[in-house]
Amino acid sequence: MKLGRLSATAAFAAFALTLTACSSSPASTDSDPVVDHEGRAVVANFRAPVSNWALESDDAYVLSIAGCLETLVKYDSTTQNIEPMLAESWKQSSETAWDFTLRKNVKFQDGTALDAEAAAASLDHVLKATAPARAVNPKTITEVTAVDANTVRVTTPAADPLLPYRMASVNAGILAPAAYTSKGIDPFGHCTGPFTPVSEKAGQSLSLDRNESYWGGQVQLAGGEIRYITEGPTRATQVQTGEADISMSIPATSLAALETDSAVTVLKTDSPRTATLYLNNSRAPFDDVKLRQAATVALDLPAIAASVYEGAAQPATGPFAPSESWANPDLQVPQVNLEEAKKLVADSGYQQNKPLEIIAITERAEFAGVGAIIQEQFKQIGLQANVVTKSYGSVEPEVLAGNYDMILSQRNRMIDIADPIGFLQSDYTCDGGYNLSHYCSKDYDALIQKALPETDQAKRHDLYRQAGDILAADAANVWLVNEQAIDALGSSVQGYVQDPLTRYVLTKDLAKTK
C-alpha cells in the first residue's frame, strides 16, 4: 500500500525533463525585490477553448493553465512524482480499485464543500461524454463512486498500475456540481484553484481574480489574464512589447530575436514532443507501406532541424526521443536515399493523378517552412504535393475522420498521462481515440494490451520499445524532430516554474515585482 505519493520512476525513469538555465523566473537585479501583491499577470497561451469548457476536451488545459481547475493528484515534472492535490492520499484497495482520500475543508470557489459525491460526479461527467478524454474514458475506467464522505473509489476494467497518472490528467479535473448546467460547463466560480474566472471575451481572453479562500495558502497575484493567441510569432512579440508577461510555446523562428532582448528571459527544457508528418494510413497512397517508407527516406531531417529550427531541435530517430529509457538505442536518424525512395514509389505502383495535400497547422509557425521543404524533397522522388496552412482546430474533425493526406503537427507524448502508455494507446491502437494517422496493427495492439497491466518497470519499458520498433518499421508516420519547450518571461515575473507538459502557469506562487 502506498499513501500520499507514487514514485514516477516506474514510468518516467531516465527520461529526465531537466530544466536548462533557469527552472523558474530569473533572479532580480534588485537584491530585495518587492512583490506587487496587486499585480496581475498576462499570459499569451497557444491554445484557445473551443468546446464550451468541456473537461474531456483540450479546454481543460486552458482552465488548468489559468489556475482554476485542479485534479485529485498532480504530476510534478521537477520531482517526477505523483503528488497530492485535492486528494491527500491514495491506495490500491484491490486489483482493479483505487481509493483517493480527499483533503478536508476544501471548498469550491462558489463556497460549497468538496466532498466525495461532488468529486465522483465530476469525474463521471467526463466518463459519460460523447467523445471521452484520451486518459479518462470508459475503456480505462469502469466507474467512479463515493465510498464515504471523503473517499473516492476509481474502478478499472482490468489491473491498471498507472491509474494515479490518469487521475493527474487535467481532463480529470474537479468542478462543483453547479458547474454542470443544461447549457454546458460553467467554470466561473466553480473551480478549487488559486484563481477564479470572472469574465471572458469570446475567442480572445479569460480574466481571473485571486481566490481569497484558496485551500493551498496565500496567492501572490491579484489576478491574471489568459490570452488566446494561436499564432506563435504574435506570442513572441507580445512578451517583447510588454503586452504579455509570459508567452508560452515560442516557435523556433522567433527564438533568435528573443534571446538578444535583455528585457526577456527565455526558458528551455527538454520536452517529450516530436514534430511529425502524419500520414493517412487509411487511404491511398499512404495505405501502402512502400509509400510511407519512401516518404521517410526522401526527407533530410538534419537539414530541417538545422535550417527551420535553427538548431533548437534534434532530428528524430522514431516515435521516441533517444533520451527516453524505452527508446531503442539502435534506431538511427533515417538517411536520405532518393534512389531508394524512387524505387519504393515505383514498386508501389502508385499513379498520381492530382497533387497530394500537406496541411501545415498555423499554431506552429515553423511548419509552413517545414512544409515547403517537404514539398521540394517529395518532388525529387516524383510526388507532387501542395502545402496549405490551416488552424488545427479547424481541421481536426476531418483529420480524425480520415479525410486528409498529410498533416504537419506535433504531440506531447506525456500530456495525457505522464507515461508513454497513454500516447501509445490513444495514438496508434486500432481503436485509439486520437489515432490521427489511422494506423492499425494487430501485433502492435497485442503489445499494448500486454503492457497495460504490467507492474515491472523493466518489462513494461521493453514492451514500449517493441511497440516503437513496430511503428518505425511500418513507417506509420515520419517523425521529424524532437523539440524543446520554450517559454519567454518579462523582467518583472517571479516564481514561474516551467512545465514541459504545459499544464500549470498561474499558480499561487507566481508573482510580479513592482
Side-chain angles (χ1 to χ4, degrees), residues 66-78:
C68 170
L69 186 67
E70 296 184 317
T71 48
L72 295 179
V73 295
K74 66 178 180 178
Y75 177 78
D76 189 308
S77 296
T78 55

Side-chain angles (χ1 to χ4, degrees), residues 65 74 92 136 205 257 278 300 314 372 388 408 439 469 501 507:
I65 286 168
K74 66 178 180 178
Q92 191 168 9
V136 183
S205 63
Y278 287 87
D300 190 338
Q314 297 299 316
V388 296
L408 280 165
Y439 173 80
D469 288 351
L501 303 188
T507 66

Side-chain angles (χ1 to χ4, degrees), residues 304-328:
I304 290 173
S307 58
V308 179
Y309 289 87
E310 301 179 11
Q314 297 299 316
T317 60
F320 300 126
S323 58
E324 294 173 275
S325 61
W326 40 80
N328 185 342

Side-chain angles (χ1 to χ4, degrees), residues 95-98 120 123-128 135-145 153-160 163 166-167:
E95 186 181 50
T96 59
W98 290 78
L123 291 169
D124 197 47
H125 273 90
V126 175
L127 289 178
K128 291 180 178 177
V136 183
N137 58 68
K139 294 179 182 178
T140 59
I141 296 174
T142 305
E143 64 177 351
V144 184
T145 56
R153 175 165 294 168
V154 181
T155 304
T156 58
D160 185 356
L163 187 277
R166 298 187 187 278
M167 291 295 97

Side-chain angles (χ1 to χ4, degrees), residues 338-356:
L338 296 180
E339 292 308 312
E340 176 65 15
K342 290 176 183 177
K343 182 177 184 301
L344 286 165
V345 172
D347 290 348
S348 74
Y350 175 59
Q351 298 294 320
Q352 188 167 20
N353 298 316
K354 62 178 182 178
L356 299 170

